[in-house]
Structure formats: C-alpha cells, structure tokens
Amino acid sequence: GNSVTQMEGPVTLSEEAFLTINCTYTATGYPSLFWYVQYPGEGLQLLLKATKADDKGSNKGFEATYRKETTSFHLEKGSVQVSDSAVYFCALSSNTGNQFYFGTGTSLTVIP
Amino acid sequence: GAGVSQSPSNKVTEKGKDVELRCDPISGHTALYWYRQSLGQGLEFLIYFQGNSAPDKSGLPSDRFSAERTGGSVSTLTIQRTQQEDSAVYLCASSQNGGNYGYTFGSGTRLTVV
C-alpha cells in the first residue's frame, strides 16, 4: 500500500541554520511527491512538488529531490528564517491521483 | 472563486446534533476532496469526488458521515449525531483532473463537539 513517514518534531532551529526534514515513502507504481506547509492559523499550502524520479522541486529557498532508489523526498533549506516557522507535511499521490497520503507533519520553530 | 472557500470557519455543536460543512471549490476544478485533521494527527482522507463519477467514500469513518457534491461544484459534508471524537479541523481541497499536480486547500472548518 501507500504510506508516508516523516521525521517527528518538533524541530527548533536558530535563524540562518540549515534545515532537513526527512521523508520516506512506500508506494505502488510511480507516485508524485509533495511538501505542504501550514502556517499558524492557516490552511495547507503547496510548497513544492516532484512528479518523477530525480526531479527536484523548489520554492521559497526550499528544495526536495525525488529519490526512487532510497524512496525519499527530504526537505532542505540552507538558511531558515523566523517566518518559516510552520508545520510541514510530506505527501504522495497515488497513480490515479485520486487520493493523497500525508505524513503526520513536522513542526518547525525558528528562533531569532 | 480565487481559492477554495469553506464555511463556517468555526462550529461548536452539542453532542448528538447534526452539522453541515460547506466547501466551494475553485471554479473549473473537477476533483474535490475532504480530509480531517485531528489535534496532533496527520491528515485523514474522507471522501473524493471526480466529475460525474461515483465518489470514493472509502475514508468515511462511519455511516454518520456523508457528503454530496451538487452540480459538480459545491460540496456539503454532513455529520449526523455528532460525537466528541468528531472534533477536528475538516479540510476541503480541489484540483484539476485529479491530484497529481497538487491540491489547493481551503482554510478548513474547526468543529468542536461539546
């Protein structure tokens, strides 16, 4: 079956630190992979995506590379800001795209 | 509309009452999804509508939950005889032609059953 496992939080970093949030997946076929972000009091927003192996998704300084050999899609940012404090969800969509499978979310707090 | 709109944004109801939650998807999006986000939990899939096809109801937790989508646009999620464990944020999302390119989520309805 399909599932997503992401590192548990909470994660607390100082401003300008390097961020990695690990995400691994189990899937049948060739899923698309996503990172969503939920800022305090807001709904989920698509942060970045990758639709096939070796694709790199990027947005707002965040990056993630679709690694089929390690079934991973780790989120990275070289220098975090206070405004990046949010909950980050890794997700995959099934072959047919009719259902997403989300990780449990990783809470990130960036302190000045 | 410009985004996915959900109403109400907050709902407090007494145990045993019925509630209706509304979702207005992005115009032209054929796919509509409902998810539930409980405190400290990930997102739980509830139901999926795609065009005129029969909905995928495989995620509905009990027969107290039902959903409709009228005219391929607005959707209503109904919870009958609410229980305290139904308290959660109910999220709606829409996409074009399935979700392989990502969903757009609404801001959710926070349901509290007292």
Side-chain angles (χ1 to χ4, degrees):
Chain A
N2 297 319
S3 67
V4 173
T5 303
Q6 62 182 103
M7 65 184 280
E8 293 189 14
V11 174
T12 302
L13 294 173
S14 297
E15 206 165 20
E16 299 183 2
F18 185 86
L19 168 71
T20 300
I21 300 178
N22 289 340
C23 172
T24 58
Y25 67 90
T26 302
T28 52
Y30 304 96
S32 295
L33 300 174
F34 305 82
W35 277 98
Y36 279 82
V37 58
Q38 187 174 31
Y39 296 105
E42 299 185 15
L44 275 77
Q45 302 174 26
L46 177 64
L47 179 60
L48 54 85
K49 66 179 186 289
T51 57
K52 62 183 187 297
D54 299 325
D55 269 3
K56 178 185 285 188
S58 61
N59 186 26
K60 299 182 181 180
F62 291 88
E63 292 183 340
T65 302
Y66 188 164
R67 302 282 188 203
K68 196 168 188 300
E69 63 276 13
T70 54
T71 61
S72 65
F73 193 57
H74 304 322
L75 182 69
E76 296 183 336
K77 186 173 185 180
S79 176
V80 293
Q81 305 300 312
V82 172
S83 57
D84 293 327
S85 298
V87 180
Y88 293 81
F89 292 89
C90 186
L92 70 83
S93 72
S94 61
N95 275 356
T96 57
N98 69 339
Q99 187 176 144
F100 266 40
Y101 299 83
F102 285 87
T104 52
T106 302
S107 174
L108 170 67
T109 301
V110 180
I111 54 178
Chain B
V4 177
S5 176
Q6 292 188 245
S7 60
S9 55
N10 279 285
K11 176 73 176 177
V12 179
T13 190
E14 292 181 352
K15 179 181 171 181
K17 301 277 191 183
D18 298 353
V19 294
E20 286 189 352
L21 311 180
R22 176 186 167 105
C23 173
D24 199 342
I26 291 174
S27 178
H29 278 192
T30 58
L32 186 147
Y33 312 77
W34 284 98
Y35 282 81
R36 178 168 70 176
Q37 185 178 23
S38 302
L39 188 63
Q41 303 291 315
L43 275 72
E44 176 187 3
F45 168 76
L46 297 178
I47 189 168
Y48 160 70
F49 296 90
Q50 173 63 56
N52 295 322
S53 302
D56 176 355
K57 304 180 182 180
S58 60
L60 294 178
S62 77
D63 59 7
R64 295 187 295 104
F65 288 72
S66 63
E68 291 184 339
R69 188 178 185 194
T70 53
S73 182
V74 172
S75 177
T76 302
L77 177 69
T78 301
I79 309 173
Q80 297 178 309
R81 305 182 302 282
T82 51
Q83 304 294 313
Q84 287 185 329
E85 61 263 27
D86 299 334
S87 297
V89 176
Y90 289 82
L91 294 168
C92 176
S94 70
S95 72
Q96 288 182 314
N97 301 321
N100 274 331
Y101 293 92
Y103 299 166
T104 301
F105 279 87
S107 297
T109 293
R110 180 175 298 278
L111 175 66
T112 305
V113 182
V114 298

